[in-house]
Each structure stands twice: as C-alpha cells, then as structure tokens.
Amino acid sequence: KTNGSVRLKIVGDGPLRNVVQAAASKDDRIVWLGQRPFEEVLSILGKAAALVFPSVCYETFGRTIIESFSKGTPVIASRHGAMAELIEHERTGWLFNVGDADALASKLGGAPAEMAQLARMRAAARYEFEKKYTASANYEMLMRIYHEVISSSNQRPALRVDPNGLPDITNPSVDNS
C-alpha cells in the first residue's frame, strides 16, 4: 500500500511492455519489475496481499495460481477456465467476470482492507496447495488412479485382439491370447 492506496507490482514481460511502462511512469502506485528470476518471483508472491490474474484468455491450467498458493497468497482472477476451477471465491481468492474492470478495481481495493479475511485466505491458499499440488499429494492421487484402473480391469472380460495386436471389436469378450 502507498498512502492508503494499493500498489500494483507487475512482474514479467511481453507485447504490452510499453503500455505497462507508460502507465508506471504516470502513476507511482504501479511498479513494473520486468522479467525476474523464478526464486525472486516466488519471494514477491509470498509478500503480496494477493496475485492479480485478470486473464481474458481461456487458460487450461493456472500454474501461476498454484505458485501463488504455494506461498499462501490468495488470487484475484477472472471467472473462467482454470481460474474458476482452481480458486474458491472468498476462500482462496476472489473471482470477477471477465473484462469487468470495475469489479476488478473493487477486488483490488478491498483485498488489503479485510486483513482478518486475508489471513484466513492465506491459510486456505496454502492448505489448497498442500492438499492438491505437492509432489506427495500428486503421488497419492496417481496411486489411487492406478489402483482404481487395476481393480476395474480385473472385473472386465479380457479384450480379444486381432493378429496385428489391435482390439477386435467384433467379439470383445473373448480372449485369444
């Protein structure tokens, strides 16, 4: 925060670099940091009140959101694609409708003001990371999937294959091996 207003730190680079730099030069609440090493980005995320992820694109998976959760940082994001799947509104972050600048501004203004809620959200974001996205959590999920597949394959009749090793769909319940 700066003089009661939110400071926006922008990390990264891209085709809108000149627009971001121009905005930062006109408004001392905007800080453009450009490309940074990954460890520094994680440090910045860990110190932030929230990550702002206002994507208008359909994201298939929000790796940046998971990185934010790993630091216990809630996320303010567009309500579509992976963002809507990964973020639980008012638990691990805030969602707003795609392209709704007023809603985004409202979320930005409100995030630091609700310190008690923010503390709960930080804990929930970190818990979400621990529960779903650590190596051990992923290993456990993968093992459950393997066990389910093995169990269900033992209950199905064997699949008949033709001489080329392809499934014979004319008589799938007979095994010719």
Side-chain angles (χ1 to χ4, degrees):
K1 291 182 85 166
T2 305
N3 301 330
S5 61
V6 174
R7 171 170 276 171
L8 180 65
K9 290 184 180 181
I10 301 173
V11 178
D13 204 351
L16 297 176
R17 173 188 196 166
N18 292 339
V19 174
V20 173
Q21 286 177 316
S25 71
K26 294 176 187 171
D27 188 335
D28 67 352
R29 296 172 300 166
I30 302 171
V31 179
W32 179 68
L33 300 172
Q35 198 70 30
R36 293 288 193 239
F38 182 67
E39 290 303 318
E40 186 179 343
V41 172
L42 289 178
S43 176
I44 293 166
L45 275 173
K47 294 173 186 172
L51 166 72
V52 180
F53 198 91
S55 181
V56 295
C57 298
Y58 186 87
E59 304 283 339
T60 56
F61 186 75
R63 177 180 160 195
T64 305
I65 293 170
I66 303 309
E67 291 165 351
S68 188
F69 285 178
S70 80
K71 301 306 279 183
T73 302
V75 180
I76 301 170
S78 307
R79 181 183 280 115
H80 74 128
M83 291 82 69
E85 296 294 322
L86 296 172
I87 299 163
E88 187 177 332
H89 184 65
E90 296 187 347
R91 182 177 162 271
T92 59
W94 297 270
L95 295 167
F96 64 94
N97 291 330
V98 177
D100 188 343
D102 291 335
L104 172 57
S106 170
K107 303 296 182 209
L108 286 171
E114 299 292 334
M115 295 312 286
Q117 181 185 17
L118 188 59
R120 287 190 304 275
M121 291 175 91
R122 291 187 79 81
R126 180 61 193 184
Y127 176 77
E128 195 72 9
F129 175 76
E130 292 287 337
K131 183 173 123 185
K132 295 181 180 175
Y133 303 108
T134 63
S136 61
N138 276 267
Y139 173 80
E140 292 299 323
M141 284 188 276
L142 186 59
M143 295 314 302
R144 276 195 304 275
I145 291 168
Y146 285 155
H147 288 292
E148 288 173 18
V149 169
I150 290 168
S151 295
S152 67
S153 68
N154 289 337
Q155 298 170 8
R156 285 185 279 172
L159 182 66
R160 180 183 165 121
V161 294
D162 68 17
N164 296 318
L166 299 172
D168 181 354
I169 59 170
T170 60
N171 190 3
S173 63
V174 178
D175 183 4
N176 66 353
S177 49

